[in-house]
């Protein structure tokens, strides 16, 4: 590099460092998606709306697909990331507006014209399907509290309406309660918010207006009510005008029945309440799941039991292998030859243990994809556990998963090609084909499943349907990032030295003795132990996906993932050793499916969850969506766990036959 270029690069580095220092001094340290936003008294607060959701159908719909009031300037989409679009979130502006720390009541919003036959049918259908309206203020979802048996239950959003004795009632009046906390550092300029906050540059040293009190939003509660309004009184009112008569909001009574050809008026009120909740703790109300103690103690109990069981298996296994190795190494050559004739065991398959498996390229591709999926899971969960993918940053978890998966394509290509060369004894022929297959195999399956499910969502006019433009973006990410990186990884794998087998392979395969029981039965049953490590955590993950709860214990999930990897490796090692002891040298695929069979039990658990926990899931489309997404999930788990089992078994077999004295 020339001297002027070096100096310019150094100058650029100093500017970046200075900017980072100023940014740090002006803002303090905040994780992504967690910037506070200070509001002065009287500042305008805008509420946003997200997609209508229901645990009854699992299909989100646009808020404005129902006859609700629209904002004066028209409906506008908020900036959405890739993860939000894939999750079906459609965040738009709404007509609900507040002024900071200014209580208001009887605010008229609008009166919808007489309900048409189509509007009446869609409203009653959404009420039957228990759809919830999701509102957002300063990146906080609206939360609703209901009392049941002296316990307060928390819900995000509020129902569209309710059906009582064949009569449908609409919640057309909303009572908002905004919790605020006084801003403690009045000399710090307003900062960029995560959701709807304006982007401001910190004004270091500027004291103008610093004596004015500022507040931060730390809670957003909503109480829906069904109120009968006078259509004639609301006819000439303008938006945000004062409704002429008092509006009494009683959530225990309903008074606004939906009738075809009848107009509907919407009103709201808002109160502000100063709270002791500090800004960093404002998500606590959303993260407190019911049964939290059961959640923690069940996971701890599962971790201790599985760790103890895995330790016992490991100790017994190591003692058995060490005894066999010591036994074969301590006797002389003549006795070894005599033992080879008299005894059966893993040593008799020495000439076949490294014989190439059936469909070697498919095995290499699946192992490469498994490394990519497992690496993506480890990195994503680790970042989430550190707080970089908090619930406050909608869509960042899915976006992070896709980003890490694309980048780790280089690992998939490298592992697949290097394993291909090892099986082929160093032959480089066909490495590009293997790397390309590794880049296309699992993504191709995922693309086929998602496309099929997307046609169902398109047919239902759901916002969960992936737009065609996003399909193009995903294809470009796939073929412009993942595929080239996989080919680059494959190139490095073709140049890396292959593993040389410690023993020679005979030309004629050894006949496998007849087994007392089918070996594949034992392989499929081996998945029960890995399943025992994660089935409790799986319940909470499924509840967060399908029941609308917030999942946040990524630290425990990371521990469970590590434990799952250890148990998968041990189970596969034990099964491989058992097969070699009965002179079955076909261990390649069996070691993959010994740990990968945990996916079968996860899929069966998903069906059980559908039948017993999602009883209200209605319609064949909803069930098909659930089963389709579950199938995609278990395939990814099978690739990851199977790869762990195969690589650990390969290492064990390589170590075992390179450690014993052989002629």
């Amino acid at each position: 590099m020339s001297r002027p270029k070096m100096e310019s690069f150094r100058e650029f580095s100093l500017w970046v460092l200075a900017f980072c220092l100023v940014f740090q001094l002006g803002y303090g340290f905040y994780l992504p998606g967690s910037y506070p936003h200070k509001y002065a008294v009287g500042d305008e607060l805008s509420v946003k709306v997200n997609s209508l959701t229901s645990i009854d159908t699992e299909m989100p719909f646009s808020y404005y697909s129902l006859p609700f009031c629209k904002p004066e300037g028209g409906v506008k989409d908020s900036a959405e990331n890739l993860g939000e679009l894939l999750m079906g979130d459609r965040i738009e502006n709404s007509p609900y507006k507040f002024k900071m720390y200014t209580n208001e009541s009887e605010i008229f919003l609008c009166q919808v014209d007489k309900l048409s036959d189509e509007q009446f049918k869609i409203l009653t259908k959404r009420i039957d399907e228990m759809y919830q309206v999701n509102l957002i203020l300063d990146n906080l979802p609206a939360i609703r509290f209901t009392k049941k048996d002296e316990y307060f239950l928390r819900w995000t959003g509020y129902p569209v309406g309710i059906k009582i004795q064949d009569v449908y009632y609409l919640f057309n009046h909303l009572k908002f309660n905004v919790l605020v906390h006084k801003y403690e550092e009045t000399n710090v300029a307003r900062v960029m918010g995560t959701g709807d906050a304006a982007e401001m540059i910190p004004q270091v040293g500027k004291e103008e207006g610093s004596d004015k009190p500022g507040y931060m939003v730390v809670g957003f509660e909503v109480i829906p009510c069904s109120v009968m309004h006078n259509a004639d009184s609301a006819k000439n009112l303008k938006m945000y005008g004062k409704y002429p008569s008092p509006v009494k909001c009683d959530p225990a009574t309903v008074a606004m029945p939906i009738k075809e050809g009848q107009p509907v008026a919407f009103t709201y009120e808002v109160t502000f309440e100063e709270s002791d909740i500090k800004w960093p703790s404002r998500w606590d109300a959303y993260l407190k799941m019911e049964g939290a103690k059961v959640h923690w103690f069940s996971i701890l109990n599962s971790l201790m039991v599985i760790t103890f069981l895995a330790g016992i298996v490991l100790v017994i296994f190591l003692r058995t292998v060490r005894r066999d190795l010591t036994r074969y190494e301590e006797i002389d050559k003549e006795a070894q030859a005599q033992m080879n004739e008299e005894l059966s065991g893993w040593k008799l398959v020495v000439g076949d243990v490294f014989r190439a498996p059936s469909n070697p390229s498919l095995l290499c591709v699946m192992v490469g994809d498994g490394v990519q999926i497992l690496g993506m899971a480890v990195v994503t969960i680790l970042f989430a556990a550190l707080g970089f993918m908090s619930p406050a940053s909608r869509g960042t978890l899915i976006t992070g998963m896709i980003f890490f998966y694309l980048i780790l394509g280089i690992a998939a290509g490298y592992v697949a090609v290097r394993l291909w060369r090892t099986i082929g004894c160093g032959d480089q022929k066909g490495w590009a084909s293997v790397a390309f297959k590794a880049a296309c195999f699992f993504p191709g399956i995922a693309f086929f499943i998602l496309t099929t499910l997307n046609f169902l969502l398109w047919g239902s006019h759901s916002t969960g349907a992936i737009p065609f433009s996003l399909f193009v973006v995903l294809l470009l990410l796939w073929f412009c990032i993942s595929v080239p990186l996989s080919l680059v990884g494959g190139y490095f794998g073709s140049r890396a030295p292959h593993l040389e087998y410690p023993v020679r392979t005979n030309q004629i395969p050894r006949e496998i003795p007849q087994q007392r029981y089918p070996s594949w039965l034992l392989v499929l049953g081996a998945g029960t132990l890995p399943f025992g490590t994660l089935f409790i955590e799986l319940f909470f993950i499924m509840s967060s996906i399908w029941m609308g709860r917030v999942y946040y214990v990524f630290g425990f999930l990371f521990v469970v993932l590590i434990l799952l990897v250890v148990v998968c490796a041990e189970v596969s090692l034990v099964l491989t050793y058992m097969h070699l002891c009965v002179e079955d040298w076909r261990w390649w695929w069996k070691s993959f499916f010994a740990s990968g069979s945990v996916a079968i039990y996860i899929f069966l658990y998903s069906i059980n969850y559908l039948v017993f926990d999602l009883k209200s899931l209605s319609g064949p489309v909803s069930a098909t969506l659930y089963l389709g997404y579950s199938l995609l999930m278990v395939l990814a788990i099978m690739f990851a766990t199977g790869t762990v089992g195969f690589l650990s078994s390969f290492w064990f077999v390589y170590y075992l036959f390179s450690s014993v004295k052989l002629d």
Side-chain angles (χ1 to χ4, degrees):
M1 188 180 289
S2 62
R3 191 175 187 85
K5 288 185 177 180
M6 283 289 292
E7 290 179 357
S8 61
F9 178 78
R10 190 174 302 165
E11 185 179 359
F12 173 77
S13 302
L14 290 173
W15 272 107
V16 171
L17 181 61
F19 175 79
C20 291
L21 287 173
V22 172
F23 184 90
Q24 189 72 13
L25 291 172
Y27 284 81
F29 176 73
Y30 297 107
L31 292 175
S34 59
Y35 297 105
H37 188 178
K38 170 194 169 185
Y39 298 92
V41 176
D43 280 359
E44 187 175 276
L45 301 176
S46 298
V47 177
K48 295 190 176 184
V49 291
N50 204 342
S51 300
L52 306 173
T53 56
S54 170
I55 60 174
D56 189 57
T57 66
E58 302 296 346
M59 289 188 293
F61 289 95
S62 170
Y63 173 82
Y64 293 106
S65 63
L66 295 182
F68 289 143
C69 300
K70 296 183 179 180
E72 291 177 323
V75 179
K76 298 176 183 178
D77 292 331
S78 295
E80 294 168 315
N81 57 44
L82 184 62
E84 285 180 291
L85 291 172
L86 290 175
M87 291 297 291
D89 289 339
R90 296 293 183 272
I91 300 175
E92 299 163 313
N93 59 334
S94 81
Y96 295 103
K97 292 182 179 180
F98 314 143
K99 291 180 180 179
M100 172 56 77
Y101 226 118
T102 305
N103 296 340
E104 295 179 279
S105 60
E106 287 96 31
I107 306 173
F108 176 76
L109 208 55
C110 78
Q111 180 167 273
V112 178
D113 293 334
K114 297 179 181 179
L115 294 178
S116 64
D117 179 57
E118 183 180 355
Q119 289 176 327
F120 175 77
K121 287 180 179 179
I122 196 170
L123 261 177
T124 55
K125 185 180 180 182
R126 296 291 180 262
I127 294 173
D128 281 332
E129 293 171 340
M130 298 187 297
Y131 269 86
Q132 302 279 322
V133 179
N134 298 295
L135 306 176
I136 302 170
L137 176 66
D138 194 45
N139 205 39
L140 277 180
I143 195 169
R144 177 171 57 97
F145 293 94
T146 57
K147 192 174 183 180
K148 183 179 180 182
D149 298 332
E150 298 183 358
Y151 290 99
F152 281 100
L153 301 178
R154 306 172 187 85
W155 308 87
T156 53
Y158 68 91
V160 173
I162 190 172
K163 181 182 179 182
I164 300 176
Q165 296 179 350
D166 296 330
V167 179
Y168 294 90
Y169 294 90
L170 181 69
F171 291 121
N172 61 334
H173 178 84
L174 299 181
K175 182 179 181 180
F176 295 106
N177 185 34
V178 182
L179 304 180
V180 295
H181 186 80
K182 197 167 185 178
Y183 201 72
E184 296 174 356
E185 296 179 357
T186 54
N187 60 338
V188 179
R190 187 176 304 177
V191 299
M192 183 178 65
T194 55
D196 51 320
E199 193 170 321
M200 303 285 289
I201 298 176
Q203 301 173 356
V204 180
K206 188 172 181 179
E207 298 293 333
E208 183 180 350
S210 62
D211 54 337
K212 294 182 180 179
Y215 294 91
M216 295 177 294
V217 177
V218 295
F220 183 37
E221 301 171 3
V222 60
I223 299 175
C225 296
S226 179
V227 179
M228 175 62 75
H229 293 301
N230 189 321
D232 294 332
S233 300
K235 190 174 183 180
N236 298 322
L237 290 177
K238 294 183 178 180
M239 185 175 284
Y240 307 120
K242 188 80 170 178
Y243 191 74
S245 57
V247 179
K248 184 179 180 181
C249 180
D250 184 6
T253 60
V254 289
M256 181 59 210
I258 305 173
K259 296 179 181 178
E260 188 177 341
Q262 177 180 325
V264 180
F266 292 87
T267 55
Y268 70 97
E269 59 184 286
V270 58
T271 57
F272 286 83
E273 179 183 343
E274 195 160 345
S275 172
D276 293 333
I277 300 173
K278 294 189 177 181
W279 187 86
S281 305
R282 67 178 191 159
W283 273 88
D284 288 355
Y286 303 88
L287 301 181
K288 289 179 181 177
M289 296 190 298
E290 284 70 28
K293 290 184 179 180
V294 176
H295 177 85
W296 292 95
F297 283 117
S298 296
I299 293 176
L300 285 172
N301 180 62
S302 177
L303 290 175
M304 289 187 292
V305 171
I306 296 301
T307 304
F308 179 71
L309 185 59
I312 293 177
V313 172
L314 184 62
V315 169
I316 294 175
F317 179 67
L318 288 179
R319 289 185 62 185
T320 304
V321 174
R322 183 175 297 176
R323 185 180 66 242
D324 283 349
L325 285 175
T326 306
R327 185 179 180 186
Y328 281 118
E329 289 178 357
E330 289 181 350
I331 59 179
D332 54 24
K333 294 182 179 180
E334 184 178 350
Q336 282 187 30
Q338 185 178 357
M339 287 185 64
N340 287 344
E341 295 176 0
E342 296 177 357
L343 301 177
S344 61
W346 55 268
K347 192 168 182 286
L348 296 182
V349 297
V350 63
D352 299 275
V353 71
F354 289 108
R355 188 178 301 280
S358 57
N359 299 317
S361 62
L362 179 61
L363 178 64
C364 296
V365 167
M366 292 177 72
V367 171
D369 284 346
V371 169
Q372 187 177 9
I373 294 170
L374 182 63
M376 176 266 294
V378 170
V379 177
T380 303
I381 295 174
L382 182 61
F383 271 82
L386 294 174
F388 286 93
M389 297 176 183
S390 68
S393 306
R394 285 180 300 273
T396 53
L397 190 65
I398 301 296
T399 306
M401 290 173 65
I402 294 174
F403 173 76
F404 293 132
Y405 182 84
L406 294 173
I407 298 301
L408 288 169
I410 193 168
Y414 178 84
V415 172
V417 170
R418 193 169 185 193
L419 180 60
W420 169 257
R421 291 191 62 225
T422 299
I423 294 176
C425 300
D427 187 11
Q428 293 187 4
K429 185 178 179 181
W431 72 265
S433 175
V434 171
F436 183 76
K437 289 176 182 176
C440 297
F441 186 61
F442 178 75
I445 296 174
F447 189 78
F448 174 77
I449 294 175
L450 290 177
T451 303
T452 304
L453 298 179
N454 212 52
F455 278 117
L456 296 176
L457 291 169
W458 269 336
S460 303
H461 305 287
S462 170
T463 58
I466 302 174
F468 179 76
S469 58
L470 185 57
F471 256 109
V472 175
V473 171
L474 292 175
L475 286 173
L476 289 175
L477 291 174
W478 180 9
F479 286 102
C480 296
I481 297 179
S482 183
V483 173
L485 286 177
S486 297
L487 291 174
V488 169
Y491 173 78
F492 286 118
S494 67
R495 298 298 177 186
H498 69 283
L499 293 176
E500 296 185 1
Y501 296 143
V503 293
R504 293 190 300 270
T505 302
N506 297 333
Q507 292 184 353
I508 301 175
R510 179 186 177 86
E511 184 179 355
I512 299 174
Q514 187 175 1
Q515 308 297 325
R516 295 180 180 179
Y517 49 86
S519 59
W520 281 102
L521 190 63
L522 191 61
V523 169
L524 295 178
T528 54
L529 188 59
F531 178 71
T533 66
L534 54 80
F535 81 96
I536 293 177
E537 198 68 22
L538 191 62
F539 170 78
F540 291 97
I541 294 174
M542 300 282 280
S543 298
S544 69
I545 296 174
W546 301 108
M547 303 291 284
R549 298 174 183 172
V550 179
Y551 186 86
Y552 65 97
V553 284
F554 289 102
F556 262 117
L557 183 61
F558 188 71
V559 174
V560 170
L561 179 63
I562 293 174
L563 194 58
L564 176 66
V565 169
V566 173
V567 174
C568 284
E570 291 177 352
V571 165
S572 188
L573 289 181
V574 173
L575 264 293
T576 300
Y577 182 69
M578 291 175 63
H579 282 103
L580 294 179
C581 285
V582 294
E583 302 175 37
D584 186 355
W585 45 266
R586 297 171 302 184
W587 60 272
W588 301 79
W589 281 106
K590 291 176 182 176
S591 66
F592 185 92
F593 287 110
S595 54
S597 61
V598 66
I600 298 174
Y601 299 97
I602 294 176
F603 191 70
L604 293 176
Y605 180 84
S606 301
I607 296 175
N608 173 79
Y609 189 85
L610 172 64
V611 174
F612 294 102
D613 290 278
L614 294 178
K615 296 177 183 178
S616 62
L617 198 64
S618 64
V621 175
S622 300
T624 304
L625 288 171
Y626 174 85
L627 293 175
Y629 289 127
S630 298
L631 179 62
L632 182 60
M633 177 184 70
V634 299
L635 283 175
I637 293 173
M638 184 193 71
F639 278 56
T641 55
T643 296
V644 171
F646 171 79
L647 292 178
S648 58
S649 294
F650 184 87
W651 169 84
F652 164 70
V653 172
Y654 186 87
Y655 170 78
L656 182 64
F657 284 91
S658 61
S659 300
V660 70
K661 296 178 181 178
L662 296 169
D663 293 332

